[in-house]
Amino acid sequence: MGFLELKGLTKRFAGAAVVKDLSLSVEKGQLVCLLGPSGCGKTTTLRLIAGFVEPDEGEIRVGGRRISAPGDSEAPERRNMSMIFQSYALWPHMTVFDNVAYGLRLRGLPKGELQQRADTILAATQLSQLATRYPGELSGGQQQRVSLARALVVEPETLLLDEPLSNLDANLREEMRFEIRRLHDKFRYTTVYVTHDQAEAMTTADLIVVMNQGVIEQAGSPEEIYQRPRTEFVARFIGGTNVFRGRWDGQDTVACGNGLALRCASGEFGSAVADTPVSVRHHDVRLSAEKPGAATNTVQGTVARQIYLGSHRDYLVNLADGETVRAVTPAGISVPAGQAVWLHLPPEHCRALAQ
Ligand code: ATP
């Protein structure tokens, strides 16, 4: 059994279920990202864990203790959890030190211990030099570090983060992803992290939970989710991909349009035969002006456009029936728009998906 257990959770607003029969097990010390598009129910799941909303069905357990069930939920302040919001919610009239020490003061810690614990966490979050400043005198990234320090200093059993980096500019966001992971490796709090940004999830998470319309589409390590997506939704959401559809022969090949027979080295071959999706990542498509040696998994098309992006080129290729394939190639492969090309989709990179 995991440390944090969600079992059959359902939450409805005005009769409509936004979280549907959701079950998830989080190990102690794991960092789990809930990842999905806007409105898929990530924040509602986090708020159910925090205790700001109550489930209509199901239950939540922490360390075996039931903390939430319909009509029987522990108050948020009794759950030993810290939550970090998009807006850092710092006290503007308090210094960095006082913001960080606030939770310890509430708990009535003796002065010496309070000072020592606040100092330790300020050092870990690289804020010692800024301890006497006010939030209004800090950059966005520094404010976010204060909110992290404030959440960590009370040594919560569970840390909850709701899109913590969405107010930062792109460079800072990238830096803070590594910072969050570094702090996680140092303190190992059981953490649930909500984001719609796949790079953020890949950088920070031990386990990525991809959500869609209130349910979990797939949960796994970043590598598992990227390399072995189960559904078209997951394949498209994590990393760019082409999806072909066709008739599965019952073994390992899917006959798609344009005379393209795709042999797939891996997949979720199911019982359906007629409309099987196959995913091939953009950078796994081999593009060449000459006909390749391999006859299988090969199709001819016409370059619709190509863009030079320094380290690589990004192609759109039209097939005979109007279908478009995207290919990312080394920058040295340059074929102008309008010219015929061959695409080879290596079987080891073709993955059949569940319907
Ligand atoms: P985002 O990334 O945009 O924050 P999300 O995946 O976190 O999206 P939620 O905030 O969980 O999604 O919302 C899921 C659905 O529930 C949305 O359609 C939202 O409008 C609805 N919803 C959330 N809270 C309430 C509420 N208090 N009352 C009514 N509907 C709500």
Side-chain angles (χ1 to χ4, degrees), residues 2 16 19 31 45-46 55 108 141 165 222 229-230 234 245 248 264 273 317 319:
V19 173
L31 193 158
T45 305
L46 200 71
L165 308 184
R230 273 210 297 268
V234 175
R245 308 190 89 87
W248 173 43
C264 303
V273 175
V317 176
L319 305 187

Side-chain angles (χ1 to χ4, degrees), residues 80 97 100-101 103-105 107-125 128 149-156 187 189:
N80 202 6
F97 182 92
V100 170
L104 301 178
R105 283 212 172 90
R107 285 166 171 75
L109 246 69
K111 209 169 167 218
E113 194 185 339
L114 180 146
Q115 181 79 37
Q116 187 255 323
R117 272 174 64 175
D119 283 347
T120 303
I121 209 80
L122 286 169
T125 47
S128 306
R150 193 178 56 175
L152 293 173
V153 79
V154 295
E155 299 179 357
F187 294 102
Y189 290 121

Side-chain angles (χ1 to χ4, degrees), residues 26-91:
V26 182
E27 301 298 324
K28 196 167 176 62
Q30 225 180 8
L31 193 158
V32 174
C33 270
L34 304 183
L35 175 68
S38 184
C40 71
K42 311 179 291 289
T43 300
T44 303
T45 305
L46 200 71
R47 290 168 64 81
L48 283 162
I49 299 171
F52 300 138
V53 287
E54 198 174 80
D56 293 305
E57 287 164 36
E59 62 173 32
I60 302 173
R61 287 179 181 269
V62 176
R65 180 178 102 246
R66 192 169 83 169
I67 59 165
S68 209
D72 179 21
S73 283
E74 216 170 75
E77 62 275 13
R78 300 201 51 221
R79 295 187 178 202
N80 202 6
M81 295 178 175
S82 284
M83 184 148 167
I84 298 176
F85 301 92
Q86 273 178 30
S87 60
Y88 319 121
L90 303 177
W91 301 109

Side-chain angles (χ1 to χ4, degrees), residues 3 7 14 27 44 63-64 69-70 89 91 103 124 140 156 175 177 204 241 247 276 281 299 301 335 351 353:
F3 176 69
K7 287 188 193 160
E27 301 298 324
T44 303
W91 301 109
E175 202 179 294
R177 281 177 205 151
T204 54
T241 201
R247 191 174 177 79
T276 299
R281 300 266 179 217
V299 68
V335 184
R351 180 168 174 81
L353 303 170

Side-chain angles (χ1 to χ4, degrees), residues 217-278:
E217 283 263 335
Q218 189 170 350
S221 69
E223 270 187 60
E224 246 176 281
I225 294 277
Y226 184 82
Q227 292 182 358
R228 292 187 292 283
R230 273 210 297 268
T231 63
E232 182 170 348
F233 178 85
V234 175
R236 287 192 188 279
F237 199 77
I238 312 276
T241 201
N242 298 289
V243 175
F244 301 86
R245 308 190 89 87
R247 191 174 177 79
W248 173 43
D249 69 353
Q251 294 186 14
D252 65 356
T253 301
V254 177
C256 306
N258 305 290
L260 174 64
L262 282 180
R263 198 154 70 73
C264 303
S266 73
E268 300 283 327
F269 294 110
S271 53
V273 175
D275 193 28
T276 299
V278 177

Side-chain angles (χ1 to χ4, degrees), residues 166-298:
S166 59
N167 285 339
L168 304 178
D169 69 43
N171 285 340
L172 205 49
R173 214 159 47 219
E174 204 176 320
E175 202 179 294
M176 284 301 290
R177 281 177 205 151
F178 293 111
E179 182 69 1
I180 285 178
R181 185 64 222 189
R182 183 184 70 81
L183 288 171
H184 182 74
D185 288 338
K186 193 171 168 71
F187 294 102
R188 287 269 152 207
Y189 290 121
T190 308
T191 303
V192 184
Y193 186 124
V194 162
T195 180
H196 62 266
D197 182 321
Q198 64 141 302
E200 214 168 293
M202 300 284 276
T203 315
T204 54
D206 298 308
L207 181 77
I208 295 180
V209 175
V210 183
M211 290 184 66
N212 182 23
Q213 299 185 352
V215 301
I216 295 176
E217 283 263 335
Q218 189 170 350
S221 69
E223 270 187 60
E224 246 176 281
I225 294 277
Y226 184 82
Q227 292 182 358
R228 292 187 292 283
R230 273 210 297 268
T231 63
E232 182 170 348
F233 178 85
V234 175
R236 287 192 188 279
F237 199 77
I238 312 276
T241 201
N242 298 289
V243 175
F244 301 86
R245 308 190 89 87
R247 191 174 177 79
W248 173 43
D249 69 353
Q251 294 186 14
D252 65 356
T253 301
V254 177
C256 306
N258 305 290
L260 174 64
L262 282 180
R263 198 154 70 73
C264 303
S266 73
E268 300 283 327
F269 294 110
S271 53
V273 175
D275 193 28
T276 299
V278 177
S279 159
V280 189
R281 300 266 179 217
H282 300 152
H283 61 265
D284 289 328
V285 177
R286 308 273 181 268
L287 179 147
S288 59
E290 287 90 44
K291 190 171 181 177
T296 57
N297 291 48
T298 295

